[in-house]
Amino acid sequence: MFTTRPELQGTFGMVSTSHWLASSAGMAVLELGGNAFDAAAAAGFVMQVVKPHVNGPGSEVPILLYAAGEDRLRVINGQGPAPSSASIDAFHELGLDYVPATGLLSACVPGAFDAWMLLLRDYGRLSLGQVLSYAIEYAGGGYPVTPGITADVLKAEGRFRESWPTSAALYLAGGIPQPGTLFRNPDLAATYARIVRDAEAAGGDRESQIESARNSFYRGFVAEAIDSFISSFGGADLPVDRHRGFLTADDMARYEARWEEPVAADYHGYTVFKNGPSTQGPVFLQQLMLLAGYDLEAMGHNSVEYIHTIVECAKLAFADREAWYGDTAFVDVPMADLLSADYADDRRKLVGETASGEYRPGTVNGRPPYVGPINTPGRSTAHIAIVDREGNMVSASPSGGLMQFSPTIPGVGFSLSERGQAFYLEPEHPNALVGGKRPRTTLSCSIAFREGVPYMAFGTPGGDRQDQWNLAFFLAHIHFGMNLQEAIDTPLFHSIHHPRSFHPHDGYPRELLVEANMPLAARQGLRKRGHVLVLVDEWTLGWMSAVTRQPDGSMRAGASPREMNAYAVGR
């Protein structure tokens, strides 16, 4: 099969991420003697610098990890909650019936920094300065602008100039940043350098220095800069992107990333682990449980029957995501029932021969699902997958703090998470806004065991589409024998039938996006079955990163050629 790149193979370590500089930094850390956890953190911090239009230091991240020698797989939940004073009533008092995507009103506590610190403290071995050195180097010395950055600055130029002068000062100082030119963020370089310097000055062992860094960010100069900027920003009588926002230094000080248990499902000899229902992660597992009742291999890869079956099962799983998922500290999510074989068997009966136009969440043990208004009209993330020669494995999906959605905070050089836009202002919704509650995100990372042995870490950016693209890749690899790169390169598709996670939470019944290089016979057959096909350019859907560890200890990796950002490195 034709592939755009080779599947990498080696015995030392493999790093695959959404940006080649992040992948290179991760590999450099492995060469320095760090492990997969050090490498993941280094890559994550570099990603915050070189992809400011998809994530930044004000972001959130779920991290799924396996440590060699442990008999469990763990999750670090690095999703920050809504500010304590944020509420449905507070938004209604502002005359809003939604949480805006742009500005400070959607700002949640940035959770990624603490999540990476927790990973380093409990599982890493290098010093904080070693891990952060790559991000400091690129922020201060410059990194190459990608076309995506240019495009998003162009879209936000008016907002920067009219409403966000601090963003204009950073991103428009020399005009629109052009692809291939070097861009510097000296304030961000200085922020990370100060965190390292203060941590080292505090003395003590490695763990003490990491605790110092956590304090600098959440209870020190970074939190103070955020609080000062928000408290002096705009006002309620201005357009929404000039509203002050709710996040305070107290909200920052109370935050800590936390360890959680993953959710899992067995499928054809594999056990797939995902982060929990404060994200959309389990929707991948619900799709697997539905698809377990079909002979996908007999259908043939990307045949009409194959795509139709996958899409119709996705509609059912994503309807459940919308009806049931939320922060489990506030919502009773019946996860075990949603992932049970009996529930899947019952739901599978709804899959017919033609495309459904209905929105059909399921009833669980007599509990009716939440069914709110669905808008029918008329975001970006990154991913990191790493495995080292010791058998340690990491899958992480950092996102948020996008420079085009939130103003730059002066002195620290980054924007805040706009993740609050995922909340609903409908009290009965499982993802309804409550102060201190985490919004249900689209972030989704994956680790799969094969016959009980850690095998693969994988994932993709892509908002609501992540666990459809993840699924297409996974099925191509395990059912049709494609290597990682072949499975990544295969033509992709995804449904937009279900409500989006972001305002206006719109869904497009029966609509199915398909890459133009999908075989013509498949496209014609899907139309005959009632799918409304939206043909997009080839090589435009999905940005997968994946690594595996084979039984003999060797490792493999692949990365998507789409957008020409993601790269795998290894030896």
Side-chain angles (χ1 to χ4, degrees), residues 3-11 13-17 23 27 387 483-486 488 546-550 554-559 566-571:
T3 61
T4 57
R5 304 167 180 175
E7 179 190 58
L8 303 187
Q9 298 185 44
T11 57
M14 290 287 161
V15 182
S16 182
T17 81
S23 297
M27 194 65 198
V387 60
N483 69 33
L484 297 182
Q485 197 61 48
E486 290 171 339
I488 287 169
V547 297
T548 62
R549 190 171 193 269
Q550 306 298 317
S554 65
M555 289 158 278
R556 300 178 184 180
Y567 269 86
V569 297
R571 71 170 178 85

Side-chain angles (χ1 to χ4, degrees), residues 345-496:
D345 290 345
D346 187 57
R347 296 281 280 160
R348 198 179 298 117
K349 297 171 184 175
L350 298 174
V351 176
E353 292 299 312
T354 58
S356 170
E358 297 180 66
Y359 171 69
R360 298 179 291 183
T363 296
V364 179
N365 283 336
R367 289 176 59 187
Y370 173 84
V371 181
I374 305 299
N375 295 316
T376 54
R379 175 135 344 252
S380 290
T381 308
H383 193 265
I384 296 167
I386 300 178
V387 60
D388 65 26
R389 59 182 172 179
E390 298 169 34
N392 301 308
M393 192 172 287
V394 180
S395 178
S397 295
S399 183
L402 281 60
M403 56 87 178
Q404 67 271 31
F405 284 167
S406 185
T408 301
I409 300 166
V412 294
F414 63 84
S415 303
L416 289 171
S417 167
E418 68 296 331
R419 191 58 61 176
Q421 65 175 299
F423 279 123
Y424 282 76
L425 300 185
E426 299 163 22
E428 300 306 315
H429 197 287
N431 193 32
L433 172 62
V434 177
K437 181 180 180 180
R438 295 171 297 176
R440 189 208 73 212
T441 70
T442 58
L443 308 183
S444 186
C445 39
S446 314
I447 287 180
F449 283 24
R450 184 170 63 183
E451 303 298 343
V453 178
Y455 173 64
M456 179 165 64
F458 63 100
T460 177
D464 291 290
R465 305 162 294 181
Q466 289 176 49
D467 278 313
Q468 294 187 70
W469 295 340
N470 278 333
L471 184 68
F473 157 80
F474 182 74
L475 297 176
H477 179 60
I478 72 165
H479 280 305
F480 298 96
M482 298 184 194
N483 69 33
L484 297 182
Q485 197 61 48
E486 290 171 339
I488 287 169
D489 286 354
T490 189
L492 286 173
F493 56 89
H494 69 265
S495 169
I496 54 174

Side-chain angles (χ1 to χ4, degrees), residues 84-109:
S84 59
S85 62
S87 68
I88 292 173
D89 287 344
F91 276 87
H92 287 166
E93 288 171 6
L94 293 173
L96 296 171
D97 60 2
Y98 67 100
V99 180
T102 57
L104 294 173
L105 286 173
S106 58
C108 290
V109 177

Side-chain angles (χ1 to χ4, degrees), residues 289-367:
M289 295 301 294
L290 289 164
L291 292 170
Y294 298 95
D295 187 347
L296 297 180
E297 292 172 19
M299 295 178 186
H301 182 254
N302 277 357
S303 67
V304 175
E305 186 70 19
Y306 178 83
I307 296 174
H308 171 79
T309 301
I310 291 172
V311 168
E312 293 305 298
C313 288
K315 291 176 183 178
L316 297 173
F318 276 87
D320 280 344
R321 180 201 73 169
E322 192 64 22
W324 293 106
Y325 293 14
D327 185 346
T328 53
F330 290 79
V331 180
D332 179 14
V333 183
M335 204 70 257
D337 295 309
L338 291 170
L339 292 176
S340 70
D342 287 345
Y343 183 73
D345 290 345
D346 187 57
R347 296 281 280 160
R348 198 179 298 117
K349 297 171 184 175
L350 298 174
V351 176
E353 292 299 312
T354 58
S356 170
E358 297 180 66
Y359 171 69
R360 298 179 291 183
T363 296
V364 179
N365 283 336
R367 289 176 59 187

Side-chain angles (χ1 to χ4, degrees), residues 19-20 50 143-151 177-184:
H19 196 286
W20 68 91
V50 302
Y143 61 90
V145 173
T146 59
I149 294 174
T150 300
Q178 294 302 303
T181 61
L182 286 182
F183 186 84
R184 296 173 177 83

Side-chain angles (χ1 to χ4, degrees), residues 311 315 355-359 374-378 464 494-500 502-513 530-534:
V311 168
K315 291 176 183 178
S356 170
E358 297 180 66
Y359 171 69
I374 305 299
N375 295 316
T376 54
D464 291 290
H494 69 265
S495 169
I496 54 174
H497 175 92
H498 52 272
R500 285 193 307 152
F502 307 110
H503 178 79
H505 304 291
D506 47 348
Y508 297 70
R510 296 191 180 89
E511 288 204 15
L512 178 63
L513 273 67
H531 297 278
V532 179
L533 260 63
V534 178

